[in-house]
Structure formats: C-alpha cells, structure tokens
Amino acid sequence: MPYGFTGKFVEVDLSSSKVKVIDVGEEFYRKFLGGRGLGSWLLWERLGVDWEKVDPLSPENLLLILTGPMTGYIAGVRIAVTGKSPQSGGTVGSTIANEVGLELKTSGYDGLIISGKAKDPVYVFISDDVIEVRDASKIWGKGIRETHKLLLRDVMPELRKIPTYGEPKEPAMIYIGPAGENLTRISAVEGKYAHAAAYGSYGAVMGSKNLKAVVAKGSGPLPPVYDVGRLKELLYKAIELVPKKVPRLRIWGTGQGPWRYGRDLSSIPVRNWQEEYWERETYSQYDLEVYDWVKRYWADFGCPLCCMKVTVLHRNGEVVITDAPDYELLAYEGSNLGIYDVRDIAHLIWCGEELGFDMINAGNVLAFTAELFEKGILTKEDIGFEVRWGDENAFIRLLKLIASKEGIGKVLAEGTYRAALKIAEMKGLKPDEVFKYAVQAKGIAIGAHGIRSGLDYPPLSYVTSVQGGDHQSVAMLPLDAAPVVNEVWAAFCDSAVICQFNALGGWDFVFEALRAITGWDTTKESWVNENAKRILTLQRVLLLLGGPDVYWDPRIHDDNPPRFYEPLPSGPKKGQAPAKADITKLRSEYYRALGWDEYGIPTEETVKQLGLNGTEGALKRIKNRLNIG
Amino acid sequence: MPLWIFREYDRCSGCRYCEVACSLKHEGIIWPEASRIRVFEYVPGITIPVLCSQCTDYPCVSACPTNALSVDGTTGAVKVDEGKCIRCGNCVEACPGRIPRILPHKNAVLICDLCDGDPECVKVCKALGFNALIAVDKWPGSHYKLYARTAEEISKAYVKKLYRIDVEEVM
Ligand code: SF4
Ligand code: SF4
C-alpha cells in the first residue's frame, strides 16, 4: 500500500446490514487520490451502466464517505461526502471539516461505501475492528444539537468499556437533521453543530437510506508516511505560511465579507440577487464580535489557521450555539433576504442548521420564494402567510414547512430549479417566466459571489463548473490560475481531502506535503494536465448523463442564470452585466482546454488519454440523448 | 526547577497541533490517541486540553504495584519504566483525572514526560499564536493537583461558563 493510505474501505449494505472490508488498488489512488476524485470513479464503476436510471434518493444510490491521502496529516482535517447528487444528477465532492476523516484512518480505513436502505433508522458505528449498524430510532426526527448529544451518550459507554485503559476521546460524528430525513434536496450532512457538507444535498441521500449518522473512533496511528521528518517541517511551515499569509481569516474568519463583497466589490446577493450592493452599516461580523463571540478560536484537527469562532446568543429563552457565521451564510441569510442585523442572521442560520438544511441552497430557495411573492407569482394563499424581505419570522416558518414538506414546503423542498418547474406548472406559466428568478446552475444554488461587477468571480465561474453553483469549485481560465476556488485546485483539495484555506500555502507547498506523505512526485503540471482533467472530465460525463428526473443540455444549461445578464441596478458598477457572446466564447475556450468537443462533451480521445476506460459508451449515450453527432 | 504546563482553556482552539507534535516526538508518527496531551471536545466548541498535572503527592506512582512509575528528579514528570508496566490500570484509577492512557496497541501506560523540560506541545501552541499551553516554573505548593480532573468534569463546567446552558441539553 502506498504511504499515507490504509488501503482498505468499509462497505456497509444497509438493506442486509452486511459489512465487509475491501482493498482498493494503488493504481486508483494514484489516478484519483481520494475523496471527490476517487468517489467519482467508484460511482462510475458501480453505477455507470445505469447512471441515468439511478434515482439519487433510492436504495440503488451509494453514499461515499471518503478520506484522501493528506487527511489528518496536514492542514485542517476534512471528510468528503459524495454519491449521485439529488440536485445535479452528477457528482459533487462535498467536504466537511470533521474528525470522522481522522477517526476512520486511525481505525484502519480510507473510507466508507454505504449502499441499500435500512428498514428502520440506523447509524453506522466504527471503532477499529468494530463496524456496526445500530438502532437510531430514538434519534430520528431530532434536531442537530440533540442528535449530537444522544449519539455521544449512546457511544461513550462503549468506548469506555475497558475502564483501566483510561478515558478515550470523544468519537467524531456526522449526522443529518429533519431536512435530510424528509429528503429535501437542500439538506446537508452536518457535524459539530455548525459544520456542513452542503452542496450536493447528501443529507437527503443519508435520509433516503434511513441513515441518521456515522460515528467513528479510532485508537491507532495514522498510516506511515514516506518522509516523516519532512512532514514535521512542513507542519511548522504551514503555521508560518498560512496564518501569516492570510491573517484576516484567523482574526475574523470570512465574516468580514459583507463589507468586502457588498460595499467594495459589488458581488453580494441582495434580495435574490436583484442587487449586489448595499449600504447598511450594521451588516458585518463586528456586532457579533463585540457582543456574542464567547470564544475567539475554534479549529478542527490539524488546522493552523482557525477561521471559526464560537458565537452564543441568548434570545427569548433560546440558546443559540453556532460558529461565527461565515460570509456565505451572512449573505444568504442576510442581504439576500433583506435582513441586515447580524444577530438576526445568526439566529436564522442556527434555526436552519438545527433542521439540517444546507443554508446556501435553503437560503437560495427562501429568497426565490420571497421574490415570487413580491412579483405576485406566489400569493399568501399559496404559502399561508406573507413572505416579505427582512421578515425573519416568515423565513423561519418557511424553513419549518420545507423541512416537514407541508403545504408549499413540499414544492420548495425540491430546491430552486425543480421548484421553479413545479411552480410554473402550478401557475400555468412558461418555465422561463419563473426561471427568471431562479439563481442556480445545474440544480445547485449559486454561492454568494456574483460575476456582474467584474471585481470578484470571473464570468465563466458557474457556467461550466461540474459542481454547478458551488462557489468553492468554479471554472477558470487558464486552468492553472492560482485562486483557491479554481475548479482544478478545488479538485485537488477535495480529493486529497484537505481544507482549501489551508492550501493557501500554494501549489508548491501542497505538492511538497503530498510528497512527504505519499512519496509521489506530483507536480503542478502533472496535476493540472492529468489528474485534474481526469477528475473533471469524469464528473462532466456523469453530470451530462444525469437523470432520472432532470437532464442538462450544455447548449442551454452551460450558462449563467438569467439574472446575471440583468445590468446591476446600483453601486459603483451600476449598469454592468456580462455580454452573452463573451460568455459563449469563453465557454468554447474552456471546453477546448479540457479536451471536450464544441458541445462540451468530452471526446473519445480525451477519455482514452486520461485513462477513463469504459466511459466511451457513456459519451454515445449523452450524444444520443442530445441528438448530436 | 521542575516545570509545569499551565493550560488556559479559553485560548485553546482545539487545533490538536499539540497532539500531532507530541505523538510525532514520542511515537514517530501522528497518533492522536497516543499523545500524552489530548484535547477533548465532547461539546462542539468546548475544547479541553488534558495532560498530567504532576500532583505533588503523585497518587499514580504510589498505586503502581510493580514500581513502573517514578518521579523525574529534575522536571518532576512521571517516568514510566516500560519493561515493568503490566497494564493493570491502577494508576488510571488512582489519578483524579483518569489521565494516564493504556492503549490496546501499546505495551505500557502513557503519561506526559514533560519532554525532559522542553515540551513540544507548548512550543507548537506558541508557534501557532494560541498560547493555550504555557510552561511555568513549578513553585512549591499542592494546588497543581486541582487540574487533574476528567475531561468530562472540566467540559461540564465550561459549558456552563461559556454557553450558559443546562449541561443536560448538550452532553
Ligand atoms: S496546540 Fe494549543 S490551541 Fe491547539 S489544541 Fe493544543 S492546546 Fe489547544
Ligand atoms: S495527574 Fe494523574 S498521572 Fe499525573 S501525577 Fe497526578 S495522578 Fe499521576
């Protein structure tokens, strides 16, 4: 086995409760690393023949929980969650900062492959050689905080079973809330109250399997590394490099974003992206910092940067415990809903996270609903109450309806794209009349970074990304452009399974670290031209196969949402919007850079060259469906 | 003079770099459970570093039936004679914080040895800028033992202090 890996995966079939440990060959690690890359390959291998027919919310789908070669060793522990996405019909490498990655590896496994569906609610417990499917019926239906506590109480006595061994540390856990249990397509896999693997809606995939949580505790060491002395040096170098390079992240997290992106760069969503500029002074992390952060630092295992802080709010008898909201959620539960008081925003985020929502995709749905209400497409009769900008209580009521799929909540639980289709049908409108207000890409809400001002994200970002609106994995040219959110770079972080912020140390630093761990001579060039292209091309194939309920046509869907072509109505970049012709041109350049044809379908030559053997047939299936060539 | 590691819970981020540094030094690999300092997080955000307190009366040393434990004359650390330890767990039971750790994969109990006076965890925590662990002179006094408590006990107290919430709601 290569250094840095255990070489073993746990397979759990929930339909039969059968558990098995399998070996994954070195070749696949080299080709795909782990996490997002390896996950896409495993999904292709196991579900590829019938991909279009696999309902992501059926027992046929797989849920993969994967580490990568760098997980646990360096730069902020994470775990990647993937499967066929209920949002895009492709795959999303959704990662969460969580010690499950560490505990799996120290138990002796690189990942978990979960198939089937349990009869009753269960959770999976892994501790070294013990792999069990356990009853979760008492935890099912519970919110996030209660779930965390009940799992802890359930597991600790087990971990303490040999008292003379002393106190074991707490297990790591990832879990879902009601939004995932009830299969909303805007649900997250959460951990430590406020962390989430959000894009892709794998919370619903867990829910569809009756799987409430995965709990892990390992007692062994991480697998041996190639050069432990060098690794140690790099661990110290990471401290020098990352927090010093971006001290703002240590100090504020990304919470300084509303001013930066809203006032300075005009790229924050305001009232469902009707504007991208605002002027309210109260809208920043500042009020939380001086009144409500009870703890300035909150890191995950191995993170030298530490962008999280702990926030506690006592409001009307409720005790809100959460992290200091990051920029994305400050925007999505803030300006995009017309709410500008940070404490209201933090409270709303907490309410949504307690229910198990991905608060970017859920926030996108809330704003979409509020605009449909404003425009008179959805009425008080449809919803049951008025949904006006700035009305936090209305949004909380809406979240509850969605989580339990009651009334209009049933439609909205489908996420913005599918809800738009349904609402158009309900109202006898042409889909485009509703899509006008849907700010998403390939079924996935667009993260809180606009492209219109030209000051923040580049215009291509969401057009050709294989992860739709995911703001942490966007398309960029040239392919080796340095910014962390570049898809080529994101594919590395999500496959090595490390934190993107900690990779801010730069290409050289991460490849040096990868070498110290695995002994591999990966370079920036080999990563960009071989591995990244391989991973993105495979994800592209799966995305274009899609199905079973929605399919993408690159000629239509490789585009920005309509709203992004409306000129900005306010701010220093008033009047600005990208020209469609420019986007089309950039799109073609991107296809070419990746070795895809003029429709954005990978060519046979490309898939052969990348070693994606067996995908040629899938290319034909895509072309047949699209009636091309 | 013997030294003591002061632990400031408020400043601890939970980054576990101390566990990484400790296990790299003592085990030559990253091994969080074998680290002599371990940071517990029963409740998200409540991160509690736990390590030996070098109680002035060393109950663990007295409890050991094979004399595997002794006190280092210079640093005051508890020293483990690996050949003599029979993994009986008497030291764990004697310690008010149940701090010594016996792992299935190890032949002897693990207790902080203060790195012979230059603790790795303290260095790395300082390098990180968190300064949750500070090496101080161990002046005479019996109060050091006050810090030998279980992670559970400290966590419960900290939940009340930081979150002002009923412990039953979170643990
Ligand atoms: S290195 Fe310092 S801040 Fe990090 S976990 Fe250890 S004691 Fe806490
Ligand atoms: S804290 Fe525990 S291990 Fe340390 S000296 Fe006291 S009894 Fe012994």
Side-chain angles (χ1 to χ4, degrees):
Chain A
M1 203 17 61
Y3 291 104
F5 294 94
T6 70
K8 294 200 174 350
F9 276 78
V10 176
E11 272 195 44
V12 181
D13 177 35
L14 292 175
S15 303
S16 63
S17 283
K18 282 214 181 86
V19 169
K20 142 168 119 180
V21 177
I22 60 159
D23 290 315
V24 181
E26 171 158 4
E27 186 202 341
F28 300 111
Y29 289 117
R30 282 209 179 241
K31 277 167 97 170
F32 298 100
L33 264 65
R36 173 173 168 179
L38 190 64
S40 299
W41 178 254
L42 288 170
L43 288 164
W44 160 254
E45 265 194 328
R46 291 169 182 234
L47 303 177
V49 249
D50 273 331
W51 187 265
E52 301 91 318
K53 291 194 202 116
V54 175
D55 177 351
L57 300 178
S58 72
E60 283 71 56
N61 197 9
L62 296 173
L63 179 76
L64 307 182
I65 295 170
L66 307 172
T67 67
M70 291 169 79
T71 308
Y73 295 105
I74 210 159
V77 76
R78 291 185 88 79
I79 184 88
V81 183
T82 191
K84 182 169 178 181
S85 163
Q87 290 173 339
S88 71
T91 64
V92 175
S94 206
T95 72
I96 171 175
N98 194 279
E99 283 76 9
V100 160
L102 178 75
E103 304 296 355
L104 279 178
K105 267 188 154 169
T106 56
S107 287
Y109 315 109
D110 291 329
L112 264 177
I113 302 172
I114 299 175
S115 59
K117 177 185 179 174
K119 262 203 285 327
D120 300 302
V122 294
Y123 72 93
V124 169
F125 173 69
I126 296 184
S127 180
D128 300 340
D129 298 337
V130 179
I131 305 166
E132 286 175 359
V133 178
R134 296 181 160 194
D135 176 38
S137 45
K138 288 202 190 72
I139 309 171
W140 198 256
K142 296 281 194 272
I144 293 306
R145 189 148 87 199
E146 190 71 3
T147 296
H148 191 104
K149 175 184 83 181
L150 293 175
L151 286 168
L152 194 69
R153 287 186 181 172
D154 218 37
V155 167
M156 279 318 286
E158 172 90 4
L159 295 175
R160 290 191 176 113
K161 70 179 180 267
I162 308 177
T164 55
Y165 280 3
E167 289 296 303
K169 287 213 299 178
E170 75 289 344
M173 30 203 184
I174 48 178
Y175 33 67
I176 58 170
E181 295 171 8
N182 295 331
L183 315 186
T184 74
R185 289 181 204 260
I186 47 177
S187 55
V189 178
E190 294 184 45
K192 293 204 251 181
Y193 294 173
H195 297 2
Y199 286 118
S201 197
Y202 295 108
V205 175
M206 281 181 71
S208 74
K209 299 192 170 307
N210 263 332
L211 177 65
K212 179 73 175 175
V214 172
V215 179
K217 181 79 202 93
S219 64
L222 286 174
V225 298
Y226 172 72
D227 184 347
V228 76
R230 186 72 191 126
L231 177 65
K232 195 170 170 178
E233 283 166 21
L234 290 169
L235 282 165
Y236 272 89
K237 193 172 169 192
I239 302 175
E240 286 309 307
L241 221 50
V242 186
K244 302 245 160 92
K245 203 165 154 188
V246 276
R248 66 172 192 278
L249 289 175
R250 167 77 74 87
I251 309 284
W252 296 295
T254 59
Q256 84 281 5
W259 279 53
R260 169 90 179 128
Y261 301 109
R263 294 166 69 105
D264 304 341
L265 303 185
S266 279
S267 64
I268 198 172
V270 178
R271 287 177 285 104
N272 199 32
W273 296 89
Q274 296 186 63
E275 298 179 58
E276 296 186 24
Y277 174 78
W278 58 276
E279 289 179 327
R280 306 270 191 104
E281 302 252 322
T282 57
Y283 182 34
S284 75
Q285 84 291 351
Y286 180 79
D287 280 37
L288 282 175
E289 181 183 340
V290 294
Y291 295 112
D292 305 299
W293 290 0
V294 296
K295 200 165 159 171
R296 197 173 177 81
Y297 303 122
W298 186 19
D300 304 288
F301 182 90
C303 174
L305 181 57
C306 186
C307 69
M308 302 274 178
K309 292 91 195 57
V310 181
T311 301
V312 175
L313 299 171
H314 288 256
R315 288 168 57 121
N316 315 320
E318 282 177 325
V319 187
V320 175
I321 304 170
T322 185
D323 58 359
D326 62 357
Y327 163 66
E328 292 298 314
L329 300 196
L330 278 175
Y332 256 108
E333 274 64 54
S335 54
N336 207 34
L337 300 178
I339 303 174
Y340 293 93
D341 181 319
V342 272
R343 301 163 111 187
D344 290 342
I345 299 169
H347 179 253
L348 176 58
I349 292 168
W350 174 74
C351 290
E353 285 181 337
E354 264 294 303
L355 290 166
F357 282 111
D358 155 12
M359 290 308 282
I360 293 178
N361 274 274
N364 188 279
V365 167
L366 295 179
F368 171 66
T369 311
E371 188 168 4
L372 293 184
F373 180 80
E374 180 186 69
K375 299 291 187 302
I377 296 177
L378 284 178
T379 62
K380 196 175 157 191
E381 286 64 46
D382 294 321
I383 303 170
F385 47 91
E386 297 185 346
V387 180
R388 294 193 189 282
W389 302 117
D391 184 350
E392 193 206 345
N393 287 328
F395 292 117
I396 293 174
R397 283 177 77 181
L398 214 43
L399 284 173
K400 288 184 180 156
L401 284 182
I402 300 172
S404 57
K405 286 193 168 167
E406 284 168 71
I408 193 73
K410 188 158 190 273
V411 175
L412 300 175
E414 292 294 292
T416 304
Y417 180 81
R418 288 170 177 81
L421 283 171
K422 288 204 171 156
I423 290 166
E425 198 185 302
M426 246 164 68
K427 296 285 172 183
L429 296 168
K430 291 202 207 84
D432 281 351
E433 288 173 87
V434 185
F435 277 137
K436 226 160 77 182
Y437 310 111
V439 188
Q440 57 80 43
K442 313 266 182 351
I444 299 177
I446 282 181
H449 292 273
I451 55 133
R452 282 184 276 184
S453 71
L455 300 173
D456 192 5
Y457 275 29
L460 192 63
S461 299
Y462 309 106
V463 174
T464 50
S465 162
V466 293
Q467 302 202 151
D470 182 347
H471 72 283
Q472 280 181 288
S473 182
V474 304
M476 275 188 199
L477 286 170
L479 289 182
D480 64 355
V484 275
V485 296
N486 172 5
E487 199 153 41
V488 166
W489 177 255
F492 178 82
C493 295
D494 298 348
S495 301
V497 192
I498 51 166
C499 169
Q500 281 191 356
F501 284 157
N502 275 300
L504 282 167
W507 292 105
D508 291 347
F509 171 74
V510 296
F511 291 125
E512 232 185 304
L514 182 65
R515 184 180 149 76
I517 294 164
T518 61
W520 297 345
D521 291 316
T522 312
T523 60
K524 178 175 146 186
E525 286 65 38
S526 72
W527 177 260
V528 174
N529 295 321
E530 294 162 33
N531 306 74
K533 276 190 186 166
R534 182 179 300 129
I535 292 167
L536 297 180
T537 298
L538 180 59
Q539 282 192 284
R540 176 74 174 178
V541 170
L542 296 172
L543 182 68
L544 292 184
L545 285 173
D549 63 330
V550 298
Y551 292 91
W552 312 114
D553 182 338
R555 292 163 292 191
I556 301 165
H557 299 110
D558 275 357
D559 201 356
N560 281 305
R563 175 127 288 160
F564 284 5
Y565 293 106
E566 293 171 19
L568 287 174
S570 56
K573 293 285 169 180
K574 188 173 166 182
Q576 198 156 299
K580 201 123 188 176
D582 293 343
I583 300 287
T584 316
K585 191 165 154 274
L586 280 169
R587 189 170 81 176
S588 304
E589 281 171 30
Y590 191 78
Y591 292 165
R592 259 199 305 281
L594 276 156
W596 303 349
D597 69 13
E598 74 263 41
Y599 300 107
I601 301 167
T603 64
E604 274 197 34
E605 202 189 329
T606 300
V607 296
K608 275 208 190 86
Q609 218 171 49
L610 296 172
L612 294 170
N613 309 330
T615 53
E616 297 86 347
L619 303 176
K620 292 212 182 72
R621 268 144 68 193
I622 294 166
K623 285 185 187 158
N624 285 345
R625 175 174 67 76
L626 294 169
N627 275 324
I628 40 185
Chain B
M1 179 173 291
L3 76 145
W4 194 73
I5 297 174
F6 175 67
R7 53 221 75 172
E8 194 170 347
Y9 306 121
D10 278 347
R11 299 190 65 92
C12 172
S13 68
C15 73
R16 277 86 157 179
Y17 247 73
C18 49
E19 294 180 1
V20 171
C22 177
S23 56
L24 276 173
K25 172 164 174 128
H26 291 95
E27 305 293 336
I29 185 69
I30 298 175
W31 190 349
E33 273 292 340
S35 169
R36 281 62 165 169
I37 175 170
R38 293 183 300 141
V39 181
F40 286 70
E41 192 173 6
Y42 291 121
V43 177
I46 305 289
T47 51
I48 307 290
V50 173
L51 70 160
C52 172
S53 273
Q54 292 87 29
C55 312
T56 10
D57 58 344
Y58 296 95
C60 54
V61 176
S62 324
C64 178
T66 66
N67 289 323
L69 302 182
S70 60
V71 180
D72 186 288
T74 317
T75 61
V78 176
K79 291 206 305 196
V80 181
D81 184 335
E82 296 195 3
K84 286 191 189 160
C85 176
I86 53 164
R87 296 164 36 99
C88 66
N90 282 11
C91 56
V92 176
E93 304 296 338
C95 173
R98 300 182 54 79
I99 292 164
R101 181 82 170 122
I102 296 173
L103 283 180
H105 330 56
K106 299 289 294 180
N107 293 328
V109 67
L110 307 173
I111 302 178
C112 169
D113 65 359
L114 290 171
C115 296
D116 297 325
D118 189 17
E120 290 284 308
C121 55
V122 172
K123 282 191 279 188
V124 82
C125 192
K126 182 172 183 199
L128 285 154
F130 294 129
N131 289 304
L133 306 172
I134 302 166
V136 294
D137 293 344
K138 194 180 181 205
W139 281 79
S142 54
H143 56 284
Y144 299 101
K145 195 175 180 176
L146 290 171
Y147 292 80
R149 293 182 195 243
T150 63
E152 196 174 346
E153 198 183 340
I154 307 170
S155 300
K156 284 182 175 165
Y158 247 69
V159 161
K160 279 191 214 142
K161 177 182 163 182
L162 274 192
Y163 294 172
R164 289 180 290 127
I165 189 172
D166 181 2
V167 176
E168 284 293 308
E169 282 198 42
V170 293
M171 254 180 99

